[in-house]
Amino acid sequence: MRTSRALAVSVLTAAAVLAAAPAAWAESADVTPRTVSPGGTVTVNVECAFTQTSQSPSTITANSQAFASGTATLHLVGSGGMPGSGGQYQGTARIAPATNFTGSGPNGVGATSQWGVDGNCPGGGQWSASFTVSRNATPHGVHGGLGGSFGESGTAMITGGLLVAGSLGATYWVIRRRAAEG
């Protein structure tokens, strides 16, 4: 009877963690820095959801009209090593020169303009992010020492939650067992 209670607690905890999983497995992307000057460089980070297909490809493409070449290649930097796993991709892109961001003509933009970057993940999911190009931006260096290349990895969050839930369930079971014995 005691073992079944401990097992029930562990299963309910794991179910609660897994209920939040689909949102964490969705495609997500961000661009750093959020504001860049023409001719500057941005880094694009993408986390793709799990797929039911073969291994994640080694690269995917990011598209933006603000990029000097229109596209950037993002390289696989995490996960994606086996079928069914997601992938984390990262790459840099040079922003078009200042002459592309003038305020005159039918397609002119102001001193500051919002731009999008988007693409597709291997499983077919789409991702997008935005950033600002400012002709008045002060160029600055990289912000070093702020952590890894990704923020909250959905896969890592879920795995950590399951490990915590399992250890709590095991601890509960051991305590109850010792109390019963002695």
Side-chain angles (χ1 to χ4, degrees), residues 7-8 10 17 25-27 30 49 53 55-57 69 94 97 102 109 113 126 128-129 141 144 148 151 157 169 178:
L7 183 59
S10 297
V17 171
W25 287 342
E27 286 75 19
D30 68 16
T53 61
Q55 282 185 281
S56 297
S69 65
R94 175 135 336 257
T102 60
V109 295
S113 55
Q126 297 179 337
S128 66
M157 299 286 282
R178 285 187 182 168

Side-chain angles (χ1 to χ4, degrees), residues 20-139:
W25 287 342
E27 286 75 19
S28 64
D30 68 16
V31 177
T32 54
R34 299 284 297 163
T35 301
V36 63
S37 58
T41 303
V42 294
T43 299
V44 180
N45 296 304
V46 176
E47 185 164 342
C48 292
F50 288 94
T51 65
Q52 298 300 320
T53 61
S54 61
Q55 282 185 281
S56 297
S58 61
T59 62
I60 60 173
T61 302
N63 307 297
S64 177
Q65 292 180 343
F67 293 169
S69 65
T71 63
T73 301
L74 309 183
H75 298 276
L76 184 65
V77 294
S79 297
M82 65 182 82
S85 63
Q88 297 170 340
Y89 294 87
Q90 183 179 61
T92 59
R94 175 135 336 257
I95 303 301
T99 56
N100 290 29
F101 300 100
T102 60
S104 61
N107 296 322
V109 295
T112 301
S113 55
Q114 185 84 15
W115 294 90
V117 57
D118 60 28
N120 296 312
C121 282
Q126 297 179 337
W127 57 268
S128 66
S130 62
F131 61 97
T132 302
V133 175
S134 174
R135 292 191 305 233
N136 301 325
T138 304

